[in-house]
Every structure is written in structure tokens, then in C-alpha cells.
Amino acid sequence: MYSLSVRVDELMRLRGNDVLGYWLGDLPQGCKLCFSGLKSVLFVTGLCSVKCFYCPISPTRRLKDLIFINDVEVRGVKDILTEVAVSLSKGVGITGGEPLEVVDRVVELVKVLKNVFGDEFHTHLYTNGVKLDEVVMERLVNAGLDEIRIHVISDKSFNALKKCLDYSVDVVVENPVIPNDVEGLKKIIEYAYGVGVKYVNLNELEVSELNFDELVLRGFKISEDGRSVVGSKETALEVLRWVTDSGIGISVHF
């Protein structure tokens, strides 16, 4: 009987006795801070050139160049800094849309956050890697980026992973778990491990107002609470078992 080790002591703080995640190995620093409630979410733009059918971003943000910090819409750097300070955050997760659609904005914000809150202030960035090249990566690292998370969607994403590993940042693969796509996830994890990536984050496939119709049209079933897709969790746990059984030395977090 196989049993995953669950860090319930940390996860239970977030929502009663519910287990919110499973992992093998270590967690990226960004995740550790999130679990402790010490990260702010910086949504830098709703723009994105890729149309993933499972994208959960709300219609009020999708494809619109808006900025939110902790779900509060802002218009300038001062508002961002104020919210981060009031939240007592020790870092931000920079997301979108696709943040690299507004790379100048991202670089400037990382610089400002580091200058105001210090070098220990942790910044991580989510991207599909399509617009990531050596020039962009140099700018991000020089600005002070600590961690980059690649949503693997294409060969360009795989290439981006390799580029990131040449720099002094933590590199993480972060993908949603599509039910029954065990082989697809194995391919991603094997590639990540092969090139030297240390961390993989697998997210339960989320249901939202935007992606509901697309998911149903593809035959996916929605959970009773309407928040996730049935089978996503089971697929993730199967992948975790495979990682353990195969002896791949990579940290995987669901």
C-alpha cells in the first residue's frame, strides 16, 4: 500500500483539517513563504498571446492591461508598495496574463521592490516562457528576480527552462494537472530533471467563469463545489507515485 507523506502540520493552518497539498522533496522558497502567508500576489497584466483553454482568469481581467495587488486594482507603484507594506509581506509572486508581455514594467517593479524592502525580499515570476530569451532573462536577474516558474506549453517553454538554468535563480516548472494526462506530465518532469530543474509544482485544474464552458465542451466533469475538475487530483497523485517509484531526484509539489 503506497502512502504519500503529507506535511499536514503546515497545511492545516490554512483551512481547518483539509489537506491542501502533497509533496515529495523540498518546496521552492516562494511556496514556503506563501504557506506562511508572507507573499503578496502582483498581477501585472491580463495580456497574453497564448490561449490556453483552461485559463481561469476572470473576464474583467483577461486580455486587459490592468494591475492588481492582492486583488486590489492599482494605478501606480506607490499603491503597490503600500499594500505590500500593510500586508507585512516578505515577497511577491508576479503573475498575469503573461507578465513578459510587459517586461519593462516587470523589471522596474522588481527593482523598486528590492530597493524599498531590501535584498531579502523574495520575488518570483510566472511565465509560459514564449517571450523569454537571454536578453529578457539578463534584465530580470539584474533587477533582482529570485525565482522563475515556467508553465510548459510548447517547445519554447522547454527551451526557456534551459535558458533559466544558466542564471542564479531558482527554476520551477508549474503546470495545471489535466485529468488523465499522466504521460504528458511524465514527459515534462523527465525533461525538467534531465536539464537540472529542482522543483515541479502541479496545480489542481481550477474552474472559473471563463473556462467553465471550454472544460465542459471537452468532456471534463466539474467537482460538486464547482471549484475544480474531477480527476485532476487523482492524476497528480499518480504522477507523484511514479516519481517516487522511478527514483527521479526532483521535488514535486501538488
Side-chain angles (χ1 to χ4, degrees):
M1 182 76 178
Y2 180 84
S3 176
L4 290 169
S5 63
V6 183
R7 305 281 275 275
V8 181
D9 56 326
E10 294 185 13
L11 297 171
M12 282 174 59
R13 300 179 201 161
L14 298 178
R15 194 174 69 190
N17 291 323
D18 291 348
V19 175
L20 298 184
Y22 304 78
W23 68 85
L24 304 170
D26 199 9
L27 288 174
Q29 181 62 17
C31 289
K32 292 177 181 178
L33 290 171
C34 283
F35 275 135
S36 300
L38 297 174
K39 275 269 181 169
S40 284
V41 178
L42 179 52
F43 182 97
V44 291
T45 185
L47 300 177
C48 184
S49 60
V50 178
K51 297 180 180 179
C52 300
F53 73 86
Y54 45 76
C55 179
I57 297 174
S58 71
T60 58
R61 298 190 191 187
R62 188 169 187 246
L63 301 180
K64 298 177 182 178
D65 195 15
L66 303 172
I67 305 174
F68 291 79
I69 179 75
N70 294 336
D71 286 332
V72 177
E73 187 173 0
V74 297
R75 299 194 178 278
V77 174
K78 182 178 179 180
D79 293 339
I80 294 171
L81 296 175
T82 299
E83 175 63 24
V84 170
V86 168
S87 301
L88 302 178
S89 297
K90 293 188 177 180
V92 297
I94 302 169
T95 186
E98 169 50 58
L100 298 188
E101 293 283 353
V102 291
V103 65
D104 291 345
R105 180 183 304 165
V106 172
V107 168
E108 185 59 30
L109 286 172
V110 172
K111 285 181 180 178
V112 171
L113 288 164
K114 288 286 189 175
N115 287 338
V116 172
F117 297 110
D119 290 339
E120 296 303 310
F121 188 83
H122 190 270
T123 56
H124 74 263
L125 168 75
Y126 298 90
T127 177
N128 56 42
V130 171
K131 292 183 176 290
L132 187 67
D133 57 24
E134 288 83 358
V135 174
V136 170
M137 197 62 194
E138 287 276 357
R139 295 184 65 193
L140 292 170
V141 172
N142 290 338
L145 187 70
D146 298 294
E147 180 178 309
I148 189 163
R149 301 184 177 191
I150 306 292
H151 172 201
V152 177
I153 59 171
S154 66
D155 288 343
K156 290 183 178 179
S157 305
F158 284 119
N159 291 334
L161 276 177
K162 288 195 292 187
K163 290 185 178 74
C164 293
L165 291 165
D166 291 332
Y167 298 87
S168 57
V169 295
D170 287 329
V171 180
V172 184
V173 168
E174 180 143 348
N175 269 54
V177 179
I178 298 173
N180 301 316
D181 187 28
V182 173
E183 294 306 314
L185 291 172
K186 284 182 180 180
K187 176 183 175 182
I188 291 172
I189 292 171
E190 286 177 329
Y191 180 90
Y193 175 66
V195 298
V197 174
K198 295 180 180 179
Y199 307 103
V200 174
N201 284 349
L202 302 176
N203 299 326
E204 190 167 20
L205 190 55
E206 180 183 354
V207 177
S208 72
E209 178 185 1
L210 179 65
N211 68 12
F212 182 90
D213 289 343
E214 291 286 348
L215 292 170
V216 171
L217 285 171
R218 285 171 170 78
F220 295 110
K221 295 181 179 180
I222 311 302
S223 63
E224 290 185 2
D225 63 10
R227 296 178 180 178
S228 61
V229 174
V230 173
S232 180
K233 176 181 177 180
E234 290 73 17
T235 298
L237 295 182
E238 184 175 344
V239 171
L240 282 167
R241 294 186 185 100
W242 168 77
V243 171
T244 299
D245 294 343
S246 63
I248 293 178
I250 194 169
S251 295
V252 183
H253 169 218
F254 169 66

